Amino acid sequence: EVVLTQSPATLSLSPGERFTLSCRASQSVSTYLAWYQQRPGQAPRLLMYNASKRATGIPARVSGSGSGTDFTLTISSLEPEDFAVYFCQQRYDWPFTFGPGTKVDI
Amino acid sequence: QVQLVESGGGLVKPGGSLRLSCVASGFTFSDFYMSWIRQAPGKGLEWVSYISDSGTTIYYADSVKGRFTLSRDNARKTLFLQMNSLRVDDSAVYYCAKCIYRGDMDWFDPWGQGTRVTVSS
């Protein structure tokens, strides 16, 4: 099973700041990696897939990069709605797995 | 627009059974792979199972294999998850999700709002 680790576990930031999250895979997943955002009380929402493709409706200030085992999610300027939990997920191999999440709070 | 509405969750004793349903609308259900993903209270996400558009290919997480059965009724635009021999650690919010592209396995979005399953004596 591919194990995904995320860092940091929690990030405290202010609106307007830039943030970068990290996701590391225990083995290569090529670019079969996605990022999800989960706001309190809501279902996760797909932000990025195939490491660097934005999902429908996701603004250009959100970007992703990486391949193999190391991936990053960047938001260039934090908006109030960006304060949430972010998960990475791989579908290179079954079972698909998620990282433990990074909480971004104010 | 795409809507996924889950139902069937509730409180059940260990060893009991539940059948979850996910009714889809706003897209051609029979064209898309579908999936169930769960999230235990205050915990991370776990992929439970997915099914191909035709229903002929199904994968299960090892934690539910032999106890859970995934199926779909394309005429009724409904996804089902039959859960037997439930354990305390099956307690979670169960989300139904739709593949983003038709006809093949890919990423899943959107997800429904979820249905809560609590297994407790």
Side-chain angles (χ1 to χ4, degrees):
Chain A
E1 174 173 312
V2 177
V3 177
L4 298 177
T5 55
Q6 291 185 243
S7 61
T10 305
L11 203 51
S12 295
L13 296 166
S14 300
E17 285 194 273
R18 172 191 178 95
F19 84 82
T20 298
L21 306 181
S22 172
C23 177
R24 176 162 288 179
S26 60
Q27 65 188 72
S28 176
V29 297
S30 183
T31 55
Y32 288 93
L33 189 108
W35 292 93
Y36 290 83
Q37 177 194 64
Q38 186 175 32
R39 296 172 179 149
Q42 295 187 15
R45 176 176 75 142
L46 182 68
L47 297 178
M48 307 292 303
Y49 63 96
N50 292 353
S52 60
K53 294 188 177 181
R54 267 186 295 277
T56 303
I58 303 304
R61 58 192 178 79
V62 180
S63 63
S65 64
S67 66
T69 60
D70 290 294
F71 301 87
T72 58
L73 174 73
T74 299
I75 298 185
S76 59
S77 177
L78 276 170
E79 300 282 339
E81 61 268 24
D82 297 330
F83 293 94
V85 180
Y86 293 83
F87 297 95
C88 57
Q89 179 240 320
Q90 65 81 24
R91 70 169 192 87
Y92 179 80
D93 197 17
W94 182 258
F96 303 154
T97 50
F98 292 89
T102 291
K103 183 178 181 181
V104 178
D105 60 23
I106 299 176
Chain B
Q1 83 258 27
V2 172
Q3 272 204 304
L4 300 169
V5 180
E6 302 97 331
S7 62
L11 175 62
V12 63
K13 289 182 167 46
S17 298
L18 279 176
R19 189 193 199 201
L20 306 185
S21 300
C22 170
V23 177
S25 60
F27 65 101
T28 305
F29 181 74
S30 58
D31 284 352
F32 291 87
Y33 281 52
M34 299 291 295
S35 193
W36 289 97
I37 305 120
R38 68 185 180 183
Q39 186 170 33
K43 299 282 180 68
L45 294 155
E46 180 185 16
W47 215 285
V48 174
S49 184
Y50 77 82
I51 186 169
S52 63
D53 47 0
S54 63
T56 54
T57 299
I58 303 174
Y59 278 74
Y60 297 98
D62 284 347
S63 58
V64 307
K65 201 176 293 183
R67 301 187 298 122
F68 289 13
T69 302
L70 179 57
S71 62
R72 63 191 297 162
D73 183 333
N74 285 343
R76 293 167 57 190
K77 300 182 182 180
T78 304
L79 184 72
F80 300 102
L81 186 67
Q82 177 67 42
M83 305 189 297
N84 298 331
S85 303
L86 281 161
R87 305 170 182 164
V88 171
D89 62 1
D90 293 319
S91 298
V93 174
Y94 284 72
Y95 295 102
C96 160
K98 165 192 167 291
C99 197
I100 61 173
Y101 294 122
R102 56 170 34 92
D104 203 354
M105 165 56 72
D106 214 295
W107 303 98
F108 285 82
D109 192 64
W111 301 23
Q113 280 307 296
T115 187
R116 185 174 299 276
V117 172
T118 303
V119 185
S120 174
S121 55

